[in-house]
Amino acid sequence: MTLFSNVFDTALIFEGGGMRAAYTAPTVNVLLKNEIYFDWVAGISAGSSNTVNYVSRDPYRARMSFTDFAGDPNFGGIQTFLRGDGLFNAEYIYQHTSEPHQALPFKSQTFYENPARLRVGGFNAETGETVYWGRDDMNTTERMKLMVQASSTMPGLMPEVTIDGQTWVDGAIGSSGGVALDAAEQEGFEKFLVIMTRPRSYWKSPVRNPRLIERHFRKYPAVADALNTRAARYNATKERLLEMEKEGRAMLFFPESITINSTERNISKLRRHYVLGMDQAIREVPAWKEFVGLS
């Protein structure tokens, strides 16, 4: 079957948020079930997993990645954190689960046959630069997995990732504060469907102890600075999105009843939030279809 796109004038953007993506992963599946195929999609951190699962058109992997997979004995925890592998065992999660016989088989053929363009945001820990990797950068599955891992690497909770001799961490601390609106605008888009992982009422608070962060990240002062100033960038991006919503240029998905945090491991809670997110996405999809001209 030849894969195709049918939405060309609107960008699809997935915010990150760790395991809060249990609530937003259902939007991937609702979009796919309704045959809404964006030609351009971007994500940062957990949103990068939603991005590649959407491009590979894999509803099973989208669901499992943020629900039952948390029960995998190799997923992570205090023990893996203490031995230096991260609170989330990133090496295992991103490098050893995607083959057909592994925990989260990845449909690499579909991913590469899909004509849709994608961007995954990472933060260069050495230079402070935000980079949005695309298909040309992900020319092999191994590189794609590394870039999704880098984009999802929470500073201080997961070990940094080396790509092409450079050190990378979570793109959420970068130029946009975690929502890849800047990447979409740089490529000329003026309409956006944005899947957020925080409630509409949420605004990010400034860091309470910036000196502590500076001491912790002495080796990477660019990371410390980005963490200490992220709230301003996140809130500025959200303000712009809300203004675009008023103008009719943005359709925003905000979780209505999310009570889990980014490090949630309880499978029953994750499953419950997946169902809540699915219910909300099903209610909202008619508006999405009208917004992109597929109603």
Side-chain angles (χ1 to χ4, degrees):
M1 181 180 69
T2 302
L3 300 179
F4 62 92
S5 301
N6 56 13
V7 178
F8 296 94
D9 67 345
T10 305
L12 173 61
I13 300 173
F14 291 102
E15 185 188 9
M19 299 309 289
R20 286 194 301 274
Y23 197 105
T24 56
T27 66
V28 173
N29 295 353
V30 170
L31 288 166
L32 294 177
K33 184 175 181 179
N34 285 271
E35 298 183 348
I36 305 173
Y37 302 134
F38 286 80
D39 190 57
W40 194 96
V41 53
I44 296 174
S45 199
S48 66
S49 292
N50 277 338
T51 294
V52 298
N53 290 335
Y54 173 80
V55 174
S56 64
R57 299 192 180 176
D58 193 340
Y60 173 80
R61 195 174 196 272
R63 174 172 58 85
M64 295 296 289
S65 293
F66 295 102
T67 55
D68 292 35
F69 183 48
D72 188 306
N74 297 308
F75 187 77
I78 295 300
Q79 288 185 336
T80 57
F81 179 73
L82 292 176
R83 72 173 185 240
D85 293 328
L87 187 63
F88 295 100
N89 186 2
E91 172 71 18
Y92 171 73
I93 291 170
Y94 296 99
Q95 304 304 321
H96 303 292
T97 60
S98 299
E99 296 300 318
H101 61 285
Q102 295 176 336
L104 291 173
F106 183 71
K107 295 182 177 179
S108 58
Q109 182 175 348
T110 303
F111 178 81
Y112 285 106
E113 289 181 354
N114 190 334
R117 296 168 291 161
L118 75 155
R119 296 290 182 268
V120 167
F123 183 85
N124 190 312
E126 300 168 29
T127 68
E129 179 186 14
T130 299
V131 170
Y132 288 101
W133 294 298
R135 283 200 180 276
D136 290 345
D137 305 295
M138 304 177 189
N139 53 1
T140 67
T141 303
E142 295 307 312
R143 285 182 63 83
M144 180 275 293
K145 292 190 293 185
L146 265 180
M147 289 167 181
V148 172
Q149 178 181 346
S151 179
S152 307
T153 293
M154 301 178 188
L157 295 181
M158 300 161 73
E160 300 85 10
V161 176
T162 301
I163 301 174
D164 299 332
Q166 296 286 305
T167 305
W168 299 88
V169 295
D170 197 328
I173 70 172
S175 56
S176 67
V179 184
L181 178 63
D182 54 347
E185 291 189 302
Q186 287 165 13
E187 299 206 21
F189 286 95
E190 297 182 355
K191 287 182 62 181
F192 314 91
L193 172 61
V194 186
I195 309 300
M196 305 290 282
T197 59
R198 296 281 198 176
R200 182 177 285 271
S201 61
Y202 173 81
W203 295 92
K204 191 169 288 295
S205 300
V207 169
R208 292 182 180 178
N209 194 335
R211 296 296 295 274
L212 181 63
I213 290 177
E214 289 169 3
R215 287 197 296 270
H216 184 82
F217 292 100
R218 287 189 300 271
K219 185 177 178 181
Y220 298 112
V223 172
D225 181 66
L227 286 168
N228 284 334
T229 58
R230 182 190 172 198
R233 290 190 302 283
Y234 177 92
N235 292 340
T237 297
K238 183 175 178 182
E239 285 177 356
R240 293 201 63 234
L241 287 171
L242 292 174
E243 187 61 34
M244 290 176 177
E245 183 183 48
K246 292 178 183 177
E247 297 169 355
R249 296 199 294 124
M251 178 71 63
L252 307 179
F253 176 94
F254 288 107
E256 293 174 344
S257 52
I258 189 167
T259 59
I260 54 174
N261 61 31
S262 61
T263 59
E264 181 62 64
R265 291 284 307 278
N266 185 295
I267 293 178
S268 64
K269 290 182 180 180
L270 295 170
R271 287 175 176 171
R272 181 165 58 85
H273 278 77
Y274 183 91
V275 171
L276 291 170
M278 177 66 78
D279 289 344
Q280 183 178 341
I282 289 171
R283 281 187 277 112
E284 295 192 12
V285 71
W288 302 349
K289 294 176 76 172
E290 182 177 358
F291 181 69
V292 300
L294 293 178
S295 58

